Amino acid sequence: MTPTPPRFADRLLRFFCDPYLLEEVQGDLHEEFAYQVQRVGERRARWRYWRDVLGFIRPLAGRSRTGRSQTGGSSFMKRRQRNDPSTFFLNAAMIRNYVAIALRQLWKNQLFSLINITGLTVGLAVSMFIALYVWHEFHYDRFEPFADRTYQIVSVAKYGDQEVTFSGLHESFGRAIQQQIPEAEAVVRFSAGLGEVVLQSDQNHRFKESAIGFADQSMLSVMGLRLLHGDAKTALSEPSRMVLTRQLAEKYFGAQNPVGKTLIFDKQYPFTVSGVLDDLPTNSVIQFNGLVSLNSMPALGARHQDTYQRTGFLTTYLVLRQGAKVSQVEKKLDKVKVGVNFVDASAKIFLEPLPTLHLGGHGDGARNERQSLYILLTVALVILVLAVINYVSLTTARATKRAREVGVRKAIGGQRSELISQFFVESFLTTTLAFLLSLILLQVLFPWANQALDLHMDKRVLTQGPYWGVMIGLWLSCSLLSGSYPALLLSGFRPALVLKGNVSSRQSGASVRRVFTTVQFTASIGLLICSVVLYTQMQFLRTKSLGIDRAQVVGLRIDGDMVPQFSGLRDKIRQWAGSENVAVTNTQLFTNNIMTYFLQAEKTKKQLMVNSMTVDKPFFAMMGIRWQYPPMGWEAGPVTKELNIYNQTLIKEAGIADDPRQQAAPFKNEPTDGVVNDFHVRSLHGPVSPMRLTVVSDTNRTMLADGGYILVRLNPQTNVPQALDHLKELYNAHQPTSPFDYYFLDEAYNKLYASETRLMQLFNGFTGLTLLVACLGLLGLMTFTVEVRTKEIGVRKVLGASVAGIVMLLSHDFLKLIGIALVIASPIAWWAMNSWLQDFAYKIDIEWWVFALAGGLTTGIALVTVSMQSLKAALTNPVKSLRSE
């Protein structure tokens, strides 16, 4: 074999050498190499060749005065001012030319342009919406004037094996801080409210409202809450003053300014409206519908007075002075807690920065939220990458169509930089059109998507500067990424080869396109597997037996001041629904409003976190709760004394074996009267908690002292709206002090999984869009494949090929890639979903059929996509196919 010069040295020479000198210089070097091979051997000749090439590459060498080369003269080899006319590739004329050609390409290839723009529009719109949501979630509480110096005080205590975080503190704690901590510039005490309360402005405007909170005077100014009417300095400074949000003010007073008007709080306490707040930012942990001055609370009846004096119900925020050390303040807070009421002396006090409370606070909730956001961010990135891949695949697939154009332009003097600019302009034009369309789509669909997905964002986030910075960055990145590979690939064609039609599949990027297609379907199949697992887990949670029958049960709220009317109302409801379908409890089931105590087991001395409820005797039979050990004489007659009923978990945790009714009491002075099987009243994220049920007579007024619920099981064939109307009629016939209020146990249970349901809805929607983008790309590639193989298909049909054979010929390459994608996606998706399922105490096993279903669905959708074009090609008259070129 004839020795050849080093290939990489030749490439280096082509890169640095002016094109019009290359042939001359390279020819001389090759001749010299052949001579040196004969003289000193191939190895030394190759070294000398490298030396000669490097000798020509001296960037700082002087320029020739003659302007023409003399071989061997290194100074003639540098990039220098050419005497032949040249046009700078970024001047106005060239840019107009680039844009004109780009528009012409878009119009000439309408199908591919439509596929590219649609894919990019969908990808950008979805990515921007997710980015908007993630940005919103990661920017909680940055708007307050002292956000960087504001901290929430939390205490963390250990009870047994459990670490419990408390955010509520007694009102005296805030006062003590102001006196004992000099680093505290301001203290804000706030409560989001103690449940629902009735407000009334006149006879026609009387409603039950939630989130009517209590706060210090400093709340409005420290938290930067803007008043539309009223003075922030005095709005909460005196008792009997109330601030309303704009929506609540319009609900009671219409469009007029309500400042100075009276609103009746909790049926009997007149309050003066002292301010109206602008809409609260949605990205804040501080949410309420109205605020009552905190110093009003002791005068609002026994319940509020008891809460104020005896409980820790206030979230306390601390604004530190400039330069104050957080760790030193935390040490001082440990000393403060010793002298105030209702703070566990063993608890550790922490300061949590206000901006981190939403996603960085103590507890699993914040961690799960962060995990969901990272998942969504990954999905957004995947969809955007798939859209870019579509553009790159289709553009490079058409490389052979544009190879002659590139060859001709190079042959008549076009520079590579000019061609790169041309392809980048085409990319920017396509991406810009898609970006503008995606902005329109986002503006139009934002309210609908926000409501459908229950995301609680308002449109103000669309107008904020940092968000637009991210959007513009996204657009520019997308343009550069989608344009760079096609520009480099197409501009690199060698004129001599492309004008002869010798562009190989390797040169046109066919291997890269196969990789891209595999990546697209790997992402689609992976997301589909995740969606199936999410849906299956949610179905499992909704249908799993909880040990308590919640179907068709409605709970009617009975306020504490309705005790005199309670017996009559309950009897009327029993007559209508049947006594076996009515029960009473003091607790709203499947919510976080379940009383919890920390009790020490007598036998094991273990601290137990015990859920506690008070119920009547029919509660057990009506709700389908099974007995393990019923109380003695349970079936003999009505309950005449209070009974302590525990669940299995509590008895087990208390270390009691055999019949607990014959054993010592699990807690001091609280003997066991009966034991029931475990049942859930919270979500299935955790195991069943220890539970104590106090059974009282249905005439016992203590059960409804703080309000309670009459539970009514409706017949499955009942018309629910009519049944609710009848219950409302019965309720209103007993002179109620509050509006009719009810909830369904099924709906309350489903709300416990609002976060998971939202994630599932987002995943399902985005998986569908990912498949759409992937199929658009597949459709484009198949259309192009059919186009370039039209003559081959005609020849095969003339030689006797069947329609099925041609369809299989055109489809099997794509189906093979989908098979590879399934193999890659399955373990990744399994790992991701298995990690997600670890947050549930009760979860499904990821079965093999999940992967088969995802693979089958994807293959079916892809087959339908490619079949449209392959069938059309297979059914075309071969005569027409053979005349196509």
Side-chain angles (χ1 to χ4, degrees):
M1 181 181 290
T2 305
T4 56
R7 190 172 53 176
F8 288 110
D10 274 345
R11 287 189 178 181
L12 188 65
L13 186 66
R14 283 198 295 272
F15 182 76
F16 278 98
C17 185
D18 269 347
Y20 71 94
L21 291 174
L22 178 64
E23 185 177 357
E24 185 179 358
V25 173
Q26 197 171 37
D28 289 349
L29 287 174
H30 282 197
E31 287 179 8
E32 178 67 15
F33 174 76
Y35 170 72
Q36 291 296 340
V37 168
Q38 293 177 354
R39 197 171 74 84
V40 297
E42 181 179 352
R43 188 174 66 82
R44 295 182 64 183
R46 293 173 75 86
W47 279 111
R48 290 188 180 190
Y49 190 89
W50 266 107
R51 184 194 62 192
D52 292 342
V53 168
L54 293 174
F56 284 111
I57 304 168
R58 287 185 295 175
L60 300 180
R63 295 179 176 175
S64 168
R65 291 179 180 179
T66 62
R68 291 297 301 168
S69 70
Q70 296 177 12
T71 54
S74 60
S75 60
F76 299 105
M77 298 302 298
K78 310 303 141 203
R79 298 268 179 193
R80 56 189 168 78
Q81 187 68 38
R82 295 176 57 172
N83 292 332
D84 50 328
S86 175
T87 305
F88 182 53
F89 67 93
L90 285 180
N91 68 28
M94 289 303 293
I95 290 175
R96 279 198 300 274
N97 178 263
Y98 297 151
V99 174
I101 293 176
L103 288 172
R104 198 178 302 155
Q105 284 295 330
L106 283 177
W107 183 252
K108 184 181 175 184
N109 305 293
Q110 292 179 8
L111 176 62
F112 293 101
S113 301
L114 180 66
I115 291 174
N116 273 334
I117 292 173
T118 304
L120 283 171
T121 300
V122 171
L124 281 167
V126 172
S127 303
M128 284 194 288
F129 185 77
I130 296 177
L132 182 66
Y133 176 60
V134 174
W135 186 87
H136 175 270
E137 293 297 299
F138 276 108
H139 285 78
Y140 258 59
D141 290 305
R142 308 288 174 92
F143 61 88
E144 290 88 351
F146 311 107
D148 58 330
R149 295 188 281 129
T150 305
Y151 298 84
Q152 182 186 343
I153 303 173
V154 297
S155 60
V156 180
K158 290 199 75 172
Y159 294 94
D161 299 331
Q162 293 182 325
E163 193 173 75
V164 184
T165 302
F166 298 97
S167 57
L169 295 169
H170 191 261
E171 64 86 23
S172 59
F173 200 93
R175 285 190 284 111
I177 289 173
Q178 288 175 319
Q179 296 165 2
Q180 300 179 33
I181 307 288
E183 291 89 345
E185 184 174 316
V187 176
V188 175
R189 297 173 296 172
F190 165 71
S191 166
L194 305 179
E196 293 181 330
V197 64
V198 177
L199 297 182
Q200 180 178 359
S201 58
D202 55 46
Q203 287 301 321
N204 298 322
H205 295 86
R206 182 171 181 267
F207 305 102
K208 186 173 279 189
E209 304 290 352
S210 60
I212 303 299
F214 300 89
D216 278 325
Q217 174 190 350
S218 56
M219 174 81 175
L220 302 179
S221 55
V222 170
M223 294 302 174
L225 302 177
R226 195 171 76 87
L227 282 174
L228 297 174
H229 304 290
D231 185 356
K233 294 179 181 175
T234 60
L236 296 173
S237 61
E238 298 176 7
S240 301
R241 290 197 167 197
M242 176 183 282
V243 173
L244 305 178
T245 56
R246 184 179 58 80
Q247 295 92 333
L248 205 62
E250 290 176 354
K251 182 177 179 180
Y252 286 90
F253 301 101
Q256 58 182 316
N257 182 357
V259 173
K261 295 184 180 299
T262 300
L263 201 60
I264 304 299
F265 177 88
D266 201 13
K267 307 165 195 170
Q268 54 182 315
Y269 304 103
F271 270 75
T272 302
V273 178
S274 54
V276 177
L277 283 163
D278 197 1
D279 294 338
L280 299 178
T282 53
N283 53 347
S284 173
V285 296
I286 300 169
Q287 297 293 334
F288 53 84
N289 292 320
L291 281 180
V292 171
S293 54
L294 183 60
N295 48 20
S296 309
M297 204 169 167
L300 296 179
R303 184 168 72 95
H304 285 93
Q305 190 176 42
D306 186 61
T307 302
Y308 185 81
Q309 294 176 348
R310 299 181 54 191
T311 64
F313 71 103
L314 287 168
T315 303
T316 305
Y317 297 98
L318 192 60
V319 180
L320 297 183
R321 297 187 188 281
Q322 293 282 4
K325 300 285 186 186
V326 173
S327 56
Q328 293 178 1
V329 175
E330 286 176 337
K331 289 178 182 175
K332 291 183 178 180
L333 286 171
D334 274 334
K335 296 178 182 176
V336 171
K337 75 183 181 188
V338 176
V340 300
N341 298 326
F342 304 105
V343 176
D344 187 340
S346 66
K348 183 71 178 171
I349 299 288
F350 290 98
L351 290 179
E352 289 195 336
L354 179 61
T356 67
L357 289 177
H358 179 55
L359 295 175
H362 283 78
D364 292 336
R367 185 174 65 83
N368 294 337
E369 283 291 328
R370 281 199 306 276
Q371 187 185 41
S372 298
L373 291 176
Y374 291 136
I375 290 172
L376 288 177
L377 208 55
T378 305
V379 171
L381 194 61
V382 166
I383 293 176
L384 189 63
V385 168
L386 294 190
V388 171
I389 282 176
N390 259 3
Y391 179 87
V392 173
S393 292
L394 290 179
T395 306
T396 55
R398 299 187 61 76
T400 52
K401 292 284 182 183
R402 301 193 67 178
R404 287 181 185 276
E405 173 196 339
V406 172
V408 169
R409 292 178 67 167
K410 278 192 168 181
I412 61 176
Q415 298 298 306
R416 189 173 186 185
S417 59
E418 295 167 355
L419 288 167
I420 288 175
S421 301
Q422 173 63 55
F423 292 120
F424 265 118
V425 167
E426 290 179 16
S427 159
F428 267 92
L429 188 63
T430 305
T431 312
T432 303
L433 286 172
F435 181 70
L436 295 175
L437 287 173
S438 63
L439 283 179
I440 296 171
L441 202 62
L442 188 63
Q443 290 286 339
V444 172
L445 296 181
F446 179 84
W448 171 82
N450 201 22
Q451 185 175 5
L453 299 172
D454 194 25
L455 296 181
H456 306 292
M457 290 189 290
D458 59 32
K459 273 200 165 185
R460 281 178 290 188
V461 293
L462 290 172
T463 61
Q464 295 179 1
Y467 172 72
W468 278 102
V470 173
M471 292 301 99
I472 292 172
L474 199 64
W475 163 57
L476 291 175
S477 304
C478 197
S479 301
L480 288 171
L481 285 173
S482 58
S484 50
Y485 180 70
L488 292 174
L489 179 77
L490 297 178
S491 65
F493 286 155
R494 299 182 68 175
L497 292 177
V498 297
L499 291 176
K500 291 177 183 175
N502 292 333
V503 178
S504 65
S505 60
R506 179 171 170 270
Q507 288 171 316
S508 64
S511 301
V512 176
R513 284 197 298 281
R514 281 194 286 273
V515 172
F516 283 169
T517 304
T518 307
V519 170
Q520 282 185 312
F521 279 95
T522 299
S524 301
I525 293 172
L527 288 174
L528 196 53
I529 292 171
C530 294
S531 292
V532 174
V533 173
L534 274 165
Y535 177 80
T536 311
Q537 172 68 11
M538 293 308 297
Q539 284 299 106
F540 170 77
L541 294 176
R542 286 171 180 156
T543 56
K544 180 177 171 52
S545 172
L546 303 177
I548 183 170
D549 186 2
R550 65 183 189 280
Q552 293 286 109
V553 177
V554 58
L556 308 185
R557 169 69 184 176
I558 306 297
D559 282 359
D561 52 8
M562 279 190 68
V563 169
Q565 299 101 305
F566 167 69
S567 297
L569 174 61
R570 182 204 54 201
D571 293 342
K572 285 289 183 186
I573 294 175
R574 280 180 176 172
Q575 288 174 16
W576 173 71
S579 58
E580 71 280 6
N581 292 322
V582 180
V584 184
T585 175
N586 71 334
T587 302
Q588 188 176 9
L589 302 177
F590 303 115
T591 66
N592 291 323
N593 302 325
I594 297 176
M595 195 71 73
T596 302
Y597 294 95
F598 291 94
L599 301 175
Q600 187 180 55
E602 285 290 297
K603 187 173 182 180
T604 61
K605 303 301 179 189
K606 186 177 179 182
Q607 286 278 357
L608 299 180
M609 191 170 72
V610 180
N611 292 325
S612 181
M613 296 169 55
T614 301
V615 299
D616 64 355
K617 183 177 177 182
F619 178 84
F620 297 88
M622 182 200 141
M623 298 304 294
I625 297 171
R626 295 173 178 251
W627 288 102
Q628 192 176 40
Y629 297 103
M632 301 297 181
W634 178 253
E635 301 293 344
V639 173
T640 56
K641 65 169 187 175
E642 281 193 2
L643 301 175
N644 289 320
I645 308 298
Y646 301 113
N647 68 352
Q648 288 175 290
T649 298
L650 187 145
I651 295 297
K652 183 180 176 184
E653 293 287 328
I656 297 173
D658 300 326
D659 187 349
R661 296 172 298 183
Q662 311 300 326
Q663 308 287 321
F667 308 114
K668 190 175 181 181
N669 300 325
E670 296 187 21
T672 305
D673 295 308
V675 178
V676 293
N677 288 347
D678 285 339
F679 64 93
H680 293 268
V681 290
R682 296 180 185 274
S683 78
L684 296 181
H685 284 95
V688 174
S689 299
M691 169 73 76
R692 178 183 64 187
L693 296 109
T694 304
V695 185
V696 298
S697 160
D698 56 7
T699 58
N700 193 318
R701 294 189 171 201
T702 59
M703 183 160 59
L704 296 174
D706 294 324
Y709 294 86
I710 298 179
L711 302 178
V712 184
R713 184 179 300 283
L714 304 179
N715 190 299
Q717 282 76 41
T718 300
N719 183 310
V720 175
Q722 288 181 3
L724 289 175
D725 286 343
H726 189 74
L727 285 171
K728 185 176 181 181
E729 191 178 321
L730 293 175
Y731 179 83
N732 289 335
H734 288 78
Q735 291 85 41
T737 56
S738 301
F740 180 67
D741 189 18
Y742 66 92
Y743 79 103
F744 280 95
L745 268 62
D746 265 338
E747 292 177 356
Y749 178 72
N750 290 337
K751 282 182 183 174
L752 296 175
Y753 306 102
S755 173
E756 288 77 13
T757 303
R758 186 166 61 241
L759 184 64
M760 182 186 72
Q761 290 170 336
L762 287 169
F763 244 91
N764 290 343
F766 296 149
T767 301
L769 291 173
T770 306
L771 275 170
L772 172 67
V773 172
C775 287
L776 280 174
L778 196 61
L779 176 66
L781 288 177
M782 176 53 81
T783 304
F784 178 76
T785 302
V786 169
E787 191 178 316
V788 298
R789 297 179 73 174
T790 300
K791 182 173 279 187
E792 177 194 341
I793 292 168
V795 171
R796 285 179 180 272
K797 288 193 73 175
V798 168
L799 294 177
S802 65
V803 172
I806 291 174
V807 170
M808 184 55 65
L809 172 75
L810 294 172
S811 307
H812 83 279
D813 282 344
F814 293 109
L815 297 179
K816 191 166 63 181
L817 297 180
I818 292 172
I820 296 171
L822 178 63
V823 172
I824 297 171
S826 296
I828 298 173
W830 178 88
W831 173 81
M833 296 317 295
N834 191 54
S835 302
W836 179 74
L837 287 171
Q838 298 310 311
D839 291 331
F840 295 89
Y842 302 88
K843 55 182 179 286
I844 59 167
D845 293 323
I846 304 177
E847 305 281 355
W848 64 270
W849 61 263
V850 173
F851 306 100
L853 178 64
L857 277 175
T858 308
T859 305
I861 294 170
L863 206 54
V864 169
T865 306
V866 299
S867 294
M868 289 189 293
Q869 291 299 320
S870 52
L871 269 175
K872 181 181 172 185
L875 293 173
T876 302
N877 188 336
V879 176
K880 190 182 293 183
S881 302
L882 292 171
R883 286 176 177 172
S884 64
E885 293 182 14

